[in-house]
Amino acid sequence: MKAIIRFCTELSFRQLTKTLRAIFILISSICSTLSAQTIKWTGDGSSAFNPLATTNFNTPTNWDLLRVPTSADSVVIIVTSNKETVISLSASTTIKNLTYIVPNNNNNNQQVYLNVGAFTLTVTGTSTLDILDNHPNNKIVIGVKHPSAAGVIDFRGDVIVGSTNLKKDCSAFLIGNSNSRIICRANLILNINAKVDIGAFAPGTLLFDGTGTQNFVFNNEANTCRFVNTVIGSSNNPTVVMAGTSSPDNITGNLTINGSSTLDLNTRQLNRNTDGGSFLMKSTSTLKVGGLSSAPNGGSAELISGSNFPSGFTNIVLDSTSTVEFYGSNQSIPGAAHNIKGYGNLTLVNNTKTLISSFAMFRNLTIAANTTMALGIFNDTLKSNSQTTAYVSSLPTTAAITYGTGGFVVERHLAAYKSWRLLATPVDIATSPSISAAWREGNSAFSATGYGTQITGPQGPSTASNSAVLDVYTQRGSIKSYDAESNNYIEVTNANTTKIANIAGYYVFVRGDRSVGVTGTTSATNLRIKGKIRTGDQTFTVPANKFASIGNPFASRIDFRTIYNSTISPSYYVWNPNPAGTFYNAGKYQVYVNYGDGNYRLGGPTGPIRNYIESGQAVFIQSITGGSITVKESDKFGGSSLVSRGAEAQREGVNNSALEINLLTKDGNGEEVLADAAVINFDGAYNNGLDNNDVRKIVNSSDNLSIRNGSINLVLESRSKLNATDTIFLNLSNTRIGNYSFSINPSLLVYPTLQAFIVDKFLQTETEVSLSEVTNYAFATTSAATSRAGDRFMIIFKTVSPAVFTSIKASRQENNSVAATWYMANENNINFYEVERSIDGINFKTIDTQMPTANNMGNPYYTYTDATAPKEMVWYRVKANTITGTIFYSDKANAKAVEVNTKNGISIYPNPVVDGTINLYFNNKAKGKYSISVFDNNGMLVTTTAADVQNNASVKRIKINSAAGTYRVTVKDAQGNSVVVPFVIL
């Protein structure tokens, strides 16, 4: 203490004052922090929304602690004045808890408002709005009391509007306008007479955006709560559960569920007040529907009978990845008649779910245990397109599907190939429709609808007839099935009487939809069958030493890994309709084999994996001893892929440049089979020597193919990047006298400057090998020893001369159009050309594109006629775009201007002016300098410039940036003579 006194006596008075003030500020700050608990409103309120100083939420003197509340403070507002009271924010503010009450003091017509205006009020804790007085005109309001301000109220804790004490006929509101947002991130509890108002001050968006489960409790028995736009999820993906004693069935705008958010309606309703607006389910969002439409609708929109699915919306869009779950007791499922175009994923749980109109499915139908789906007279269409195919998940033994005259319409999208397809028919055999009713679309007309196909054969009419047993005459039938016992195909002779459902599936030659005949351009199509889908265990028998055609019995992908048993071979054959295959580009067989790791791979142990048989796909399986398989509901597997898949530019599991060489031969039945395979990987990280990235070949007893590196034979070789000096030495051993072929399959080999060739030393030939598509090379081995020599084949590479422009010219035609012609040399790897035009020879714009006509090292020429060429001098050039993404340009060529005849020797063309550029022509004017002024229609100067004329035909280009209207140009020569030229900008 003595030390402190001595210290103070040594300070001057001024220094002491400054020190004490600093201590006081520090103590005040500490006390303020310690008192950050509950702050009460002590200010007045103003009527008519005049934001006087006393009404400012952000004025310290309006609070009992004389400071503005902070995020650590709980705020209590109890207004006792007998007048309309408005408290307004003048800045964005964050507080903890909010208590806002009209007390029980017998006030009459007491209306109190907390107006956030254009700011954001964030409440991190609990918010309570309550009215304790019994007068019917009392109301309490929190929101945006402004006709246009984009204010936000962000409730991060529970919001309780009204309580058991809220007096009947009194009102508590959350309000806003079309630009405002009310965000709830926890529970929202609206009790008796609590409202979200509608009208001039309706909130633009009520957003639920918490991080977990949010309860929306609605206890408004008077059903007077109205919403405008209600959104579930924005930056978060909450689960919003409806609860309470009433149903807020009076939205006046839109209802949206975003992202992976969930709206669980429970037994409540969330309908539109009047017909209109949109209900949108986006991305992987979920709607859960647990009740009926028993509660009355407060507006004029019609409810959906037997379901509390949101109703009254004119536009309903459910993304194909969204999910709707009906889990109530004995509900109805609405469809197209209720504006529901289709469901993404549909889940049915509990009791009976009855269709009340037809609908489409884009992903997955799930029927839970102890649940019945009753179709009645309506249809469920399992849609199929180039991206995905809808399917039915595993059906529990206690689940059921019942039918009336309605059923499932099972679709199968097929890509645009004129080729054979091996297709399954997953509908009930006993009640199956005919082939004509299904794939001939009921013998419909030959028109381009995207559905069905023409079924042809010897029994078909010589001309088209919709009532014939087949569509058109062809020498052989376009649809047949395989008989295992006779090892033969049986053609369909009457599509009108033959049922489409069978266990084997069909080979169908598909040209396209019903519009595509024996000749003509192919198209994609969708083959569909209406009927009862097959369910439960399905058993298939495979004869000894035979193949059996097995059609996937279910409207779902199935997993061959769980179907397989030891009585059959661990493999299956598919038919790939890829036009790059054999058999006149009509497709080819591919075999998938389990080499021991449980996966089924194409070609060899490193081949692409495909463990699933698709919905609508048939396959061949075989057995040496004779056996059987049973396909069960549990074998179904989610997802889908194309039955008609083309060549895979990047095959599954191949992520780097690779060349796969398959050796094919014929089995005892004459069927082409894979005998052996070898693969070369190319990457700059590899080297051309031997290391652990290379795999040695284990020699089989017959038909071996490998890659020779020195004295070592490899089944997999990893090399550095390709170049023109590379050679791949193939090694054959233990081949027999007979016919073979190589199928050489490249992946990600983008080498536009290289060509590959397979060298046959026995035949002394070189055959080009594509580095982008499959190449098939057939050869025979004979009794000549050199035909079976191990080093008979090798693959070499050569440098390709790059494509170049040799010339380009542009010629003005008699009709003032311009013909631009260019010549190419060594055209190859060109993706497309772009013709570009310029009026100044510097800035070019694309006016046309053309595809290459040769692209095989040829020397073609091209001509483009520019019918809209400007009359002034114009320049052209051509941009070549290659398949690798690089570009190169031709030289420039120009066409002369069309002569413009004018009386005064100065003119503007074109007029009206285009692109904001004035082309001012001087014809037969004296040489010298000219001053130029541009004026608008009001005589205001727009711009000035000058021109130096040195020949009889000159043009001055003036760039302006002016609005549409009438203008004039004044041109003066050195003697002061002037010419005025009017022009127009559109």
mmCIF file with all atom_site columns, all heavy atoms in Angstrom, residues 29-49:
data_model
loop_
_atom_site.group_PDB
_atom_site.id
_atom_site.type_symbol
_atom_site.label_atom_id
_atom_site.label_alt_id
_atom_site.label_comp_id
_atom_site.label_asym_id
_atom_site.label_entity_id
_atom_site.label_seq_id
_atom_site.pdbx_PDB_ins_code
_atom_site.Cartn_x
_atom_site.Cartn_y
_atom_site.Cartn_z
_atom_site.occupancy
_atom_site.B_iso_or_equiv
_atom_site.pdbx_formal_charge
_atom_site.auth_seq_id
_atom_site.auth_comp_id
_atom_site.auth_asym_id
_atom_site.auth_atom_id
_atom_site.pdbx_PDB_model_num
ATOM 1   N N   . SER A 1 29 ? -15.693 -2.793  -18.471 1.00 0.00 ? 29 SER A N   1
ATOM 2   C CA  . SER A 1 29 ? -15.731 -3.857  -19.484 1.00 0.00 ? 29 SER A CA  1
ATOM 3   C C   . SER A 1 29 ? -15.906 -5.212  -18.831 1.00 0.00 ? 29 SER A C   1
ATOM 4   O O   . SER A 1 29 ? -16.678 -6.044  -19.284 1.00 0.00 ? 29 SER A O   1
ATOM 5   C CB  . SER A 1 29 ? -14.458 -3.817  -20.316 1.00 0.00 ? 29 SER A CB  1
ATOM 6   O OG  . SER A 1 29 ? -14.435 -4.888  -21.229 1.00 0.00 ? 29 SER A OG  1
ATOM 7   N N   . ILE A 1 30 ? -15.160 -5.444  -17.735 1.00 0.00 ? 30 ILE A N   1
ATOM 8   C CA  . ILE A 1 30 ? -15.277 -6.729  -17.023 1.00 0.00 ? 30 ILE A CA  1
ATOM 9   C C   . ILE A 1 30 ? -16.674 -6.900  -16.474 1.00 0.00 ? 30 ILE A C   1
ATOM 10  O O   . ILE A 1 30 ? -17.292 -7.954  -16.582 1.00 0.00 ? 30 ILE A O   1
ATOM 11  C CB  . ILE A 1 30 ? -14.220 -6.816  -15.904 1.00 0.00 ? 30 ILE A CB  1
ATOM 12  C CG1 . ILE A 1 30 ? -12.809 -6.827  -16.518 1.00 0.00 ? 30 ILE A CG1 1
ATOM 13  C CG2 . ILE A 1 30 ? -14.450 -8.025  -15.038 1.00 0.00 ? 30 ILE A CG2 1
ATOM 14  C CD1 . ILE A 1 30 ? -11.701 -6.723  -15.488 1.00 0.00 ? 30 ILE A CD1 1
ATOM 15  N N   . CYS A 1 31 ? -17.208 -5.835  -15.872 1.00 0.00 ? 31 CYS A N   1
ATOM 16  C CA  . CYS A 1 31 ? -18.564 -5.914  -15.301 1.00 0.00 ? 31 CYS A CA  1
ATOM 17  C C   . CYS A 1 31 ? -19.596 -6.161  -16.388 1.00 0.00 ? 31 CYS A C   1
ATOM 18  O O   . CYS A 1 31 ? -20.562 -6.903  -16.202 1.00 0.00 ? 31 CYS A O   1
ATOM 19  C CB  . CYS A 1 31 ? -18.884 -4.629  -14.537 1.00 0.00 ? 31 CYS A CB  1
ATOM 20  S SG  . CYS A 1 31 ? -17.890 -4.426  -13.045 1.00 0.00 ? 31 CYS A SG  1
ATOM 21  N N   . SER A 1 32 ? -19.398 -5.486  -17.541 1.00 0.00 ? 32 SER A N   1
ATOM 22  C CA  . SER A 1 32 ? -20.325 -5.684  -18.644 1.00 0.00 ? 32 SER A CA  1
ATOM 23  C C   . SER A 1 32 ? -20.324 -7.127  -19.095 1.00 0.00 ? 32 SER A C   1
ATOM 24  O O   . SER A 1 32 ? -21.373 -7.711  -19.364 1.00 0.00 ? 32 SER A O   1
ATOM 25  C CB  . SER A 1 32 ? -19.957 -4.762  -19.803 1.00 0.00 ? 32 SER A CB  1
ATOM 26  O OG  . SER A 1 32 ? -20.796 -4.990  -20.908 1.00 0.00 ? 32 SER A OG  1
ATOM 27  N N   . THR A 1 33 ? -19.142 -7.714  -19.178 1.00 0.00 ? 33 THR A N   1
ATOM 28  C CA  . THR A 1 33 ? -19.038 -9.117  -19.592 1.00 0.00 ? 33 THR A CA  1
ATOM 29  C C   . THR A 1 33 ? -19.678 -10.031 -18.566 1.00 0.00 ? 33 THR A C   1
ATOM 30  O O   . THR A 1 33 ? -20.401 -10.977 -18.904 1.00 0.00 ? 33 THR A O   1
ATOM 31  C CB  . THR A 1 33 ? -17.571 -9.508  -19.781 1.00 0.00 ? 33 THR A CB  1
ATOM 32  O OG1 . THR A 1 33 ? -16.988 -8.631  -20.742 1.00 0.00 ? 33 THR A OG1 1
ATOM 33  C CG2 . THR A 1 33 ? -17.429 -10.941 -20.225 1.00 0.00 ? 33 THR A CG2 1
ATOM 34  N N   . LEU A 1 34 ? -19.432 -9.756  -17.307 1.00 0.00 ? 34 LEU A N   1
ATOM 35  C CA  . LEU A 1 34 ? -20.007 -10.599 -16.254 1.00 0.00 ? 34 LEU A CA  1
ATOM 36  C C   . LEU A 1 34 ? -21.522 -10.502 -16.213 1.00 0.00 ? 34 LEU A C   1
ATOM 37  O O   . LEU A 1 34 ? -22.210 -11.434 -15.827 1.00 0.00 ? 34 LEU A O   1
ATOM 38  C CB  . LEU A 1 34 ? -19.404 -10.210 -14.897 1.00 0.00 ? 34 LEU A CB  1
ATOM 39  C CG  . LEU A 1 34 ? -17.910 -10.514 -14.711 1.00 0.00 ? 34 LEU A CG  1
ATOM 40  C CD1 . LEU A 1 34 ? -17.445 -9.953  -13.371 1.00 0.00 ? 34 LEU A CD1 1
ATOM 41  C CD2 . LEU A 1 34 ? -17.644 -12.005 -14.800 1.00 0.00 ? 34 LEU A CD2 1
ATOM 42  N N   . SER A 1 35 ? -22.056 -9.353  -16.661 1.00 0.00 ? 35 SER A N   1
ATOM 43  C CA  . SER A 1 35 ? -23.501 -9.161  -16.581 1.00 0.00 ? 35 SER A CA  1
ATOM 44  C C   . SER A 1 35 ? -24.206 -9.567  -17.865 1.00 0.00 ? 35 SER A C   1
ATOM 45  O O   . SER A 1 35 ? -25.367 -9.246  -18.066 1.00 0.00 ? 35 SER A O   1
ATOM 46  C CB  . SER A 1 35 ? -23.823 -7.695  -16.281 1.00 0.00 ? 35 SER A CB  1
ATOM 47  O OG  . SER A 1 35 ? -23.380 -6.863  -17.356 1.00 0.00 ? 35 SER A OG  1
ATOM 48  N N   . ALA A 1 36 ? -23.492 -10.226 -18.817 1.00 0.00 ? 36 ALA A N   1
ATOM 49  C CA  . ALA A 1 36 ? -24.088 -10.638 -20.085 1.00 0.00 ? 36 ALA A CA  1
ATOM 50  C C   . ALA A 1 36 ? -25.033 -11.795 -19.833 1.00 0.00 ? 36 ALA A C   1
ATOM 51  O O   . ALA A 1 36 ? -24.732 -12.945 -20.135 1.00 0.00 ? 36 ALA A O   1
ATOM 52  C CB  . ALA A 1 36 ? -23.003 -11.021 -21.074 1.00 0.00 ? 36 ALA A CB  1
ATOM 53  N N   . GLN A 1 37 ? -26.212 -11.492 -19.244 1.00 0.00 ? 37 GLN A N   1
ATOM 54  C CA  . GLN A 1 37 ? -27.180 -12.538 -18.908 1.00 0.00 ? 37 GLN A CA  1
ATOM 55  C C   . GLN A 1 37 ? -28.552 -12.179 -19.479 1.00 0.00 ? 37 GLN A C   1
ATOM 56  O O   . GLN A 1 37 ? -28.849 -12.505 -20.609 1.00 0.00 ? 37 GLN A O   1
ATOM 57  C CB  . GLN A 1 37 ? -27.231 -12.725 -17.393 1.00 0.00 ? 37 GLN A CB  1
ATOM 58  C CG  . GLN A 1 37 ? -25.896 -13.210 -16.811 1.00 0.00 ? 37 GLN A CG  1
ATOM 59  C CD  . GLN A 1 37 ? -25.907 -13.300 -15.319 1.00 0.00 ? 37 GLN A CD  1
ATOM 60  O OE1 . GLN A 1 37 ? -26.924 -13.014 -14.693 1.00 0.00 ? 37 GLN A OE1 1
ATOM 61  N NE2 . GLN A 1 37 ? -24.793 -13.667 -14.725 1.00 0.00 ? 37 GLN A NE2 1
ATOM 62  N N   . THR A 1 38 ? -29.356 -11.470 -18.729 1.00 0.00 ? 38 THR A N   1
ATOM 63  C CA  . THR A 1 38 ? -30.691 -11.106 -19.183 1.00 0.00 ? 38 THR A CA  1
ATOM 64  C C   . THR A 1 38 ? -30.796 -9.589  -19.254 1.00 0.00 ? 38 THR A C   1
ATOM 65  O O   . THR A 1 38 ? -30.516 -8.889  -18.285 1.00 0.00 ? 38 THR A O   1
ATOM 66  C CB  . THR A 1 38 ? -31.763 -11.666 -18.236 1.00 0.00 ? 38 THR A CB  1
ATOM 67  O OG1 . THR A 1 38 ? -31.650 -13.087 -18.217 1.00 0.00 ? 38 THR A OG1 1
ATOM 68  C CG2 . THR A 1 38 ? -33.148 -11.260 -18.698 1.00 0.00 ? 38 THR A CG2 1
ATOM 69  N N   . ILE A 1 39 ? -31.230 -9.106  -20.409 1.00 0.00 ? 39 ILE A N   1
ATOM 70  C CA  . ILE A 1 39 ? -31.426 -7.676  -20.612 1.00 0.00 ? 39 ILE A CA  1
ATOM 71  C C   . ILE A 1 39 ? -32.891 -7.432  -20.924 1.00 0.00 ? 39 ILE A C   1
ATOM 72  O O   . ILE A 1 39 ? -33.459 -8.109  -21.789 1.00 0.00 ? 39 ILE A O   1
ATOM 73  C CB  . ILE A 1 39 ? -30.526 -7.144  -21.752 1.00 0.00 ? 39 ILE A CB  1
ATOM 74  C CG1 . ILE A 1 39 ? -29.047 -7.318  -21.389 1.00 0.00 ? 39 ILE A CG1 1
ATOM 75  C CG2 . ILE A 1 39 ? -30.818 -5.690  -22.053 1.00 0.00 ? 39 ILE A CG2 1
ATOM 76  C CD1 . ILE A 1 39 ? -28.105 -6.747  -22.402 1.00 0.00 ? 39 ILE A CD1 1
ATOM 77  N N   . LYS A 1 40 ? -33.467 -6.451  -20.225 1.00 0.00 ? 40 LYS A N   1
ATOM 78  C CA  . LYS A 1 40 ? -34.887 -6.175  -20.388 1.00 0.00 ? 40 LYS A CA  1
ATOM 79  C C   . LYS A 1 40 ? -35.094 -4.863  -21.121 1.00 0.00 ? 40 LYS A C   1
ATOM 80  O O   . LYS A 1 40 ? -34.362 -3.901  -20.958 1.00 0.00 ? 40 LYS A O   1
ATOM 81  C CB  . LYS A 1 40 ? -35.565 -6.124  -19.012 1.00 0.00 ? 40 LYS A CB  1
ATOM 82  C CG  . LYS A 1 40 ? -35.503 -7.448  -18.267 1.00 0.00 ? 40 LYS A CG  1
ATOM 83  C CD  . LYS A 1 40 ? -36.204 -7.354  -16.917 1.00 0.00 ? 40 LYS A CD  1
ATOM 84  C CE  . LYS A 1 40 ? -36.138 -8.679  -16.167 1.00 0.00 ? 40 LYS A CE  1
ATOM 85  N NZ  . LYS A 1 40 ? -36.815 -8.597  -14.850 1.00 0.00 ? 40 LYS A NZ  1
ATOM 86  N N   . TRP A 1 41 ? -36.135 -4.861  -21.938 1.00 0.00 ? 41 TRP A N   1
ATOM 87  C CA  . TRP A 1 41 ? -36.511 -3.670  -22.700 1.00 0.00 ? 41 TRP A CA  1
ATOM 88  C C   . TRP A 1 41 ? -37.165 -2.657  -21.762 1.00 0.00 ? 41 TRP A C   1
ATOM 89  O O   . TRP A 1 41 ? -38.094 -2.981  -21.034 1.00 0.00 ? 41 TRP A O   1
ATOM 90  C CB  . TRP A 1 41 ? -37.469 -4.061  -23.822 1.00 0.00 ? 41 TRP A CB  1
ATOM 91  C CG  . TRP A 1 41 ? -38.013 -2.900  -24.621 1.00 0.00 ? 41 TRP A CG  1
ATOM 92  C CD1 . TRP A 1 41 ? -39.219 -2.307  -24.493 1.00 0.00 ? 41 TRP A CD1 1
ATOM 93  C CD2 . TRP A 1 41 ? -37.339 -2.227  -25.675 1.00 0.00 ? 41 TRP A CD2 1
ATOM 94  N NE1 . TRP A 1 41 ? -39.361 -1.308  -25.396 1.00 0.00 ? 41 TRP A NE1 1
ATOM 95  C CE2 . TRP A 1 41 ? -38.204 -1.221  -26.147 1.00 0.00 ? 41 TRP A CE2 1
ATOM 96  C CE3 . TRP A 1 41 ? -36.073 -2.364  -26.264 1.00 0.00 ? 41 TRP A CE3 1
ATOM 97  C CZ2 . TRP A 1 41 ? -37.873 -0.355  -27.179 1.00 0.00 ? 41 TRP A CZ2 1
ATOM 98  C CZ3 . TRP A 1 41 ? -35.743 -1.515  -27.293 1.00 0.00 ? 41 TRP A CZ3 1
ATOM 99  C CH2 . TRP A 1 41 ? -36.626 -0.514  -27.754 1.00 0.00 ? 41 TRP A CH2 1
ATOM 100 N N   . THR A 1 42 ? -36.663 -1.416  -21.805 1.00 0.00 ? 42 THR A N   1
ATOM 101 C CA  . THR A 1 42 ? -37.258 -0.352  -20.988 1.00 0.00 ? 42 THR A CA  1
ATOM 102 C C   . THR A 1 42 ? -37.721 0.818   -21.842 1.00 0.00 ? 42 THR A C   1
ATOM 103 O O   . THR A 1 42 ? -38.282 1.786   -21.322 1.00 0.00 ? 42 THR A O   1
ATOM 104 C CB  . THR A 1 42 ? -36.235 0.171   -19.966 1.00 0.00 ? 42 THR A CB  1
ATOM 105 O OG1 . THR A 1 42 ? -35.074 0.665   -20.652 1.00 0.00 ? 42 THR A OG1 1
ATOM 106 C CG2 . THR A 1 42 ? -35.836 -0.927  -18.998 1.00 0.00 ? 42 THR A CG2 1
ATOM 107 N N   . GLY A 1 43 ? -37.477 0.735   -23.145 1.00 0.00 ? 43 GLY A N   1
ATOM 108 C CA  . GLY A 1 43 ? -37.852 1.834   -24.009 1.00 0.00 ? 43 GLY A CA  1
ATOM 109 C C   . GLY A 1 43 ? -39.324 1.807   -24.352 1.00 0.00 ? 43 GLY A C   1
ATOM 110 O O   . GLY A 1 43 ? -40.085 0.913   -23.971 1.00 0.00 ? 43 GLY A O   1
ATOM 111 N N   . ASP A 1 44 ? -39.723 2.848   -25.060 1.00 0.00 ? 44 ASP A N   1
ATOM 112 C CA  . ASP A 1 44 ? -41.105 2.957   -25.506 1.00 0.00 ? 44 ASP A CA  1
ATOM 113 C C   . ASP A 1 44 ? -41.205 2.356   -26.903 1.00 0.00 ? 44 ASP A C   1
ATOM 114 O O   . ASP A 1 44 ? -40.235 1.911   -27.492 1.00 0.00 ? 44 ASP A O   1
ATOM 115 C CB  . ASP A 1 44 ? -41.509 4.435   -25.530 1.00 0.00 ? 44 ASP A CB  1
ATOM 116 C CG  . ASP A 1 44 ? -43.015 4.599   -25.573 1.00 0.00 ? 44 ASP A CG  1
ATOM 117 O OD1 . ASP A 1 44 ? -43.710 3.566   -25.584 1.00 0.00 ? 44 ASP A OD1 1
ATOM 118 O OD2 . ASP A 1 44 ? -43.481 5.752   -25.625 1.00 0.00 ? 44 ASP A OD2 1
ATOM 119 N N   . GLY A 1 45 ? -42.389 2.375   -27.462 1.00 0.00 ? 45 GLY A N   1
ATOM 120 C CA  . GLY A 1 45 ? -42.601 1.960   -28.836 1.00 0.00 ? 45 GLY A CA  1
ATOM 121 C C   . GLY A 1 45 ? -43.329 3.059   -29.574 1.00 0.00 ? 45 GLY A C   1
ATOM 122 O O   . GLY A 1 45 ? -43.990 3.889   -28.958 1.00 0.00 ? 45 GLY A O   1
ATOM 123 N N   . SER A 1 46 ? -43.204 3.107   -30.886 1.00 0.00 ? 46 SER A N   1
ATOM 124 C CA  . SER A 1 46 ? -43.900 4.144   -31.645 1.00 0.00 ? 46 SER A CA  1
ATOM 125 C C   . SER A 1 46 ? -44.961 3.505   -32.503 1.00 0.00 ? 46 SER A C   1
ATOM 126 O O   . SER A 1 46 ? -44.840 2.360   -32.926 1.00 0.00 ? 46 SER A O   1
ATOM 127 C CB  . SER A 1 46 ? -42.909 4.897   -32.526 1.00 0.00 ? 46 SER A CB  1
ATOM 128 O OG  . SER A 1 46 ? -42.380 4.034   -33.510 1.00 0.00 ? 46 SER A OG  1
ATOM 129 N N   . SER A 1 47 ? -46.005 4.234   -32.793 1.00 0.00 ? 47 SER A N   1
ATOM 130 C CA  . SER A 1 47 ? -47.057 3.746   -33.668 1.00 0.00 ? 47 SER A CA  1
ATOM 131 C C   . SER A 1 47 ? -46.767 4.198   -35.082 1.00 0.00 ? 47 SER A C   1
ATOM 132 O O   . SER A 1 47 ? -45.915 5.045   -35.332 1.00 0.00 ? 47 SER A O   1
ATOM 133 C CB  . SER A 1 47 ? -48.407 4.273   -33.197 1.00 0.00 ? 47 SER A CB  1
ATOM 134 O OG  . SER A 1 47 ? -48.405 5.687   -33.219 1.00 0.00 ? 47 SER A OG  1
ATOM 135 N N   . ALA A 1 48 ? -47.508 3.623   -36.032 1.00 0.00 ? 48 ALA A N   1
ATOM 136 C CA  . ALA A 1 48 ? -47.395 3.970   -37.457 1.00 0.00 ? 48 ALA A CA  1
ATOM 137 C C   . ALA A 1 48 ? -45.998 3.710   -38.011 1.00 0.00 ? 48 ALA A C   1
ATOM 138 O O   . ALA A 1 48 ? -45.628 4.247   -39.042 1.00 0.00 ? 48 ALA A O   1
ATOM 139 C CB  . ALA A 1 48 ? -47.789 5.415   -37.686 1.00 0.00 ? 48 ALA A CB  1
ATOM 140 N N   . PHE A 1 49 ? -45.199 2.932   -37.310 1.00 0.00 ? 49 PHE A N   1
ATOM 141 C CA  . PHE A 1 49 ? -43.888 2.496   -37.796 1.00 0.00 ? 49 PHE A CA  1
ATOM 142 C C   . PHE A 1 49 ? -42.932 3.658   -38.055 1.00 0.00 ? 49 PHE A C   1
ATOM 143 O O   . PHE A 1 49 ? -42.169 3.655   -39.009 1.00 0.00 ? 49 PHE A O   1
ATOM 144 C CB  . PHE A 1 49 ? -44.037 1.637   -39.066 1.00 0.00 ? 49 PHE A CB  1
ATOM 145 C CG  . PHE A 1 49 ? -44.851 0.416   -38.835 1.00 0.00 ? 49 PHE A CG  1
ATOM 146 C CD1 . PHE A 1 49 ? -46.172 0.371   -39.222 1.00 0.00 ? 49 PHE A CD1 1
ATOM 147 C CD2 . PHE A 1 49 ? -44.303 -0.681  -38.188 1.00 0.00 ? 49 PHE A CD2 1
ATOM 148 C CE1 . PHE A 1 49 ? -46.928 -0.766  -38.994 1.00 0.00 ? 49 PHE A CE1 1
ATOM 149 C CE2 . PHE A 1 49 ? -45.060 -1.812  -37.962 1.00 0.00 ? 49 PHE A CE2 1
ATOM 150 C CZ  . PHE A 1 49 ? -46.377 -1.850  -38.356 1.00 0.00 ? 49 PHE A CZ  1
#
